[in-house]
Amino acid sequence: CEKVLKVSNCVFFILCLVNLVTILVYPTGMYHDALYTTNWFFKYDNTHIFMFYPAILISYICTKYNNSKLHKMIFILQLIITSICVFICKSATSIVALILIIFYLFFSRKINKLSWMNPKNFLILYIIIFVLFILLRVQNSFAWFIVDVVGKDLTFSTRTYLWDNIIEYIKVKPI
C-alpha cells in the first residue's frame, strides 16, 4: 500500500508539472477541439480539478503516512503547482474547489472537532445550494462579480440550461 501511494504521488506530481508547463508554454491553449479552444495536457480548464484533487489527496496522505521532509516538500510543491495552474486558467469551479481543499488542509484539526460537520448537514447544505442556484437563480444577484470580476457567464457554462431541461422532463415523467 505504501509503495502504491509513493508511486502514485510521483506520477501525479509529474503529470501536474507537465500540465503546468503546457499552460505556461501555450497560454491560449495547446490545441482546440469542437467545444473548447483552451485545452492543455489535462484538457479543458474545468476538468483539471479531477486530476488535481487526487494528486493533492495522495500527496497529503503520503505526508501523513511518512512524515519526511521530502514528502512535505513534494506536498507543498504539489499545492503550488496546482494553485498556479488553477489561477492561470481561471476555472471558477477549480478555484472554488482548490480554496475549499486548502482551507480544509490548514484547518482540518479544528474542522474535524466540529460536531455539526457531518454527512447529513453537508447533504442539507448541498440541497440548499442547489435550490438557490438552480431553481431560484441567486447567481443573478451576483452578476457583477461573476461576469465582470471572474469573467464567467451566469449559466455556469450552460449547466443551468441543462437543469432547466431536466426539470421539464421530470415534470412530464416524474418517475
Side-chain angles (χ1 to χ4, degrees):
C1 184
E2 183 180 350
K3 286 182 182 181
V4 171
L5 283 172
K6 285 181 178 179
V7 170
S8 298
N9 191 23
C10 206
V11 169
F12 271 113
F13 182 80
I14 291 168
L15 291 174
C16 289
L17 192 58
V18 168
N19 190 61
L20 175 62
V21 169
T22 61
I23 290 169
L24 295 174
V25 172
Y26 304 99
T28 59
M30 202 168 116
Y31 63 94
H32 308 289
D33 63 16
L35 293 175
Y36 307 109
T37 58
T38 52
N39 291 291
W40 293 281
F41 185 71
F42 285 161
K43 200 165 168 20
Y44 183 63
D45 62 5
N46 279 344
T47 61
H48 291 192
I49 198 66
F50 296 113
M51 292 299 282
F52 293 151
Y53 184 74
I56 292 169
L57 182 63
I58 288 171
S59 189
Y60 179 72
I61 291 170
C62 282
T63 308
K64 291 296 179 186
Y65 199 155
N66 185 344
N67 202 10
S68 70
K69 288 184 179 182
L70 176 65
H71 285 97
K72 285 181 181 178
M73 187 177 76
I74 290 172
F75 175 64
I76 291 168
L77 284 172
Q78 185 68 49
L79 280 176
I80 291 169
I81 289 169
T82 302
S83 299
I84 292 169
C85 290
V86 165
F87 287 102
I88 287 175
C89 292
K90 296 179 182 155
S91 165
T93 305
S94 296
I95 289 170
V96 169
L98 183 64
I99 289 170
L100 290 173
I101 290 167
I102 291 172
F103 181 81
Y104 177 77
L105 291 174
F106 283 108
F107 299 107
S108 61
R109 287 186 183 153
K110 291 183 180 185
I111 290 171
N112 291 338
K113 291 179 183 176
L114 300 174
S115 63
W116 59 268
M117 298 285 270
N118 58 55
K120 177 184 167 190
N121 288 342
F122 284 127
L123 177 62
I124 292 168
L125 178 65
Y126 176 79
I127 291 169
I128 290 169
I129 290 171
F130 176 83
V131 168
L132 288 172
F133 284 92
I134 303 303
L135 301 178
L136 301 178
R137 303 291 162 100
V138 74
Q139 68 269 25
N140 294 338
S141 301
F142 304 103
W144 62 273
F145 180 76
I146 295 170
V147 176
D148 299 335
V149 176
V150 180
K152 301 293 181 178
D153 73 25
L154 294 175
T155 66
F156 300 120
S157 303
T158 69
R159 287 176 223 163
T160 55
Y161 296 138
L162 292 173
W163 273 108
D164 290 344
N165 289 337
I166 290 167
I167 289 167
E168 288 304 315
Y169 290 132
I170 291 171
K171 286 179 183 174
V172 173
K173 290 188 175 182
I175 299 175

